Amino acid sequence: MTETTDSISFKRLKMQCRRGMLELDVLLEPFLADVYLTLEEEDKQRFVNLLTCEDQDLFPWFMQSSVPEDPDHMRIVNIILSRVQPENYRA
């Protein structure tokens, strides 16, 4: 069965993207809404697994002050960062 934004599993992921830190919410929720359904199945599973991590682990990964040891976490973090940090972005 094809996953959609109306499927129960997608709605569960949406709830899991609501973290205890606003900084993570603004990364994860738009990624889920805009990109998740277009991912390959392996990357979808990586995203699901990433959501099991603690906020205190996720925050430095996304702020790029540390990197995940798990290569699967590293891959999905990089995918998310590439979607929210366009090459033409200038601070």
Side-chain angles (χ1 to χ4, degrees), residues 13-25:
L13 288 175
K14 189 171 183 176
M15 292 302 297
Q16 291 174 334
C17 285
R18 295 182 182 148
R19 310 299 291 202
M21 299 178 76
L22 178 61
E23 296 87 348
L24 296 176
D25 292 352

Side-chain angles (χ1 to χ4, degrees), residues 26-78:
V26 298
L27 290 170
L28 298 174
E29 289 182 41
F31 181 82
L32 178 70
D34 299 338
V35 180
Y36 176 79
L37 291 175
T38 67
L39 295 173
E40 298 291 329
E41 288 302 317
E42 296 83 10
D43 288 332
K44 286 181 180 179
Q45 189 57 51
R46 288 180 179 104
F47 184 73
V48 169
N49 291 339
L50 184 74
L51 294 178
T52 66
C53 296
E54 298 290 331
D55 287 359
Q56 65 264 21
D57 294 324
L58 293 173
F59 183 75
W61 297 343
F62 287 115
M63 298 302 113
Q64 299 176 306
S65 60
S66 70
V67 295
E69 291 180 16
D70 183 311
D72 286 333
H73 288 155
M74 174 66 97
R75 176 171 167 76
I76 195 65
V77 165
N78 286 336

